[in-house]
Amino acid sequence: LTLPFPPQQLGLIGLVIGYTCFFISMADRVRQMRLEREQERLAARDRYFQSIQHITRDLHDGIGGMMANIGATAALRSDEDDPRHWNRLLEEVENLAVEASSEIRVLMNTLESHEMSWANWLRDLALFAERSLKPFGIQLDWERTGTIPDVMPSLMGGLSLMRATKEAINNAIRHAQASTIRIALDFQTDGVLVAVADNGIGMGTSVRKGRGMGNMRRRVEELGGVMEINQSKGTTVRFRIPFAKWKEQAGTEGKASL
């Protein structure tokens, strides 16, 4: 058998082929790494814009709505001469202004710290419920069970869940004609269950199909959760929020760059 190359050159040829394959493999890996970095950059940009959209929506739904309510209340005209009527009107305007200020404070503090604690979230929700129910003489029944995590999985998720819960409370105040509203939170290892229940007359079809209910459902579903409505002995609106999808946002909000 005659070899095309001297035996001493075969080793050199094999070495050249080996290095060539190695460098081709390295070049493919570099291209793959560049592609992955570009995908991460695009994903970070998408998260950034999503955060901006969340903030804009919260400003519109929360503070914007309160400002509209203040304007509408202040613009009321009445032939009522009883000073108590005007005192109640001014008290309502004051409560709305205080709540709007609280909304701004919560939003700014959260954005500055890049995180939201469950303790602060619960405190703000309880304060909102107390201030909202008091003018209507509605009793607040507050219940919390389970172990509270230190930090929420994501900042914008916390704001979105707060907005949905407040909307459920406002719906009960406006439509249920209830004497008691119960707010219950059950913290579980894999998620949290939030329930707003009243002992009122139930929701009409227009309320169940209204924009407010649609916004609540959309916010809950964006967190990977499920919204349920039960109208036995009053109305109960329940949010089941798993932490799994929520945690995907952790560490990205407020840090994503274009």
Side-chain angles (χ1 to χ4, degrees), residues 222-241:
E222 285 176 353
L223 295 174
V226 176
M227 173 175 156
E228 303 170 349
I229 301 176
N230 185 297
Q231 295 205 84
S232 174
K233 297 181 180 180
T235 301
T236 299
V237 178
R238 185 176 291 106
F239 307 139
R240 299 180 182 273
I241 311 292

Side-chain angles (χ1 to χ4, degrees), residues 147-192:
T147 302
I148 304 176
D150 293 332
V151 179
M152 284 191 162
S154 80
L155 180 155
M156 298 313 301
L159 292 175
S160 194
L161 180 58
M162 175 69 78
R163 179 72 54 225
T165 307
K166 286 184 176 181
E167 181 67 24
I169 295 170
N170 284 331
N171 275 344
I173 293 172
R174 289 193 299 263
H175 305 292
Q177 300 181 27
S179 61
T180 300
I181 292 179
R182 179 173 178 267
I183 302 173
L185 298 103
D186 181 19
F187 290 91
Q188 303 167 353
T189 56
D190 58 348
V192 60

Side-chain angles (χ1 to χ4, degrees), residues 16-32:
V16 170
I17 293 174
Y19 273 114
T20 301
C21 292
F22 171 77
F23 284 119
I24 291 175
S25 176
M26 288 297 297
D28 287 340
R29 179 56 183 159
V30 169
R31 283 194 296 269
Q32 180 65 29

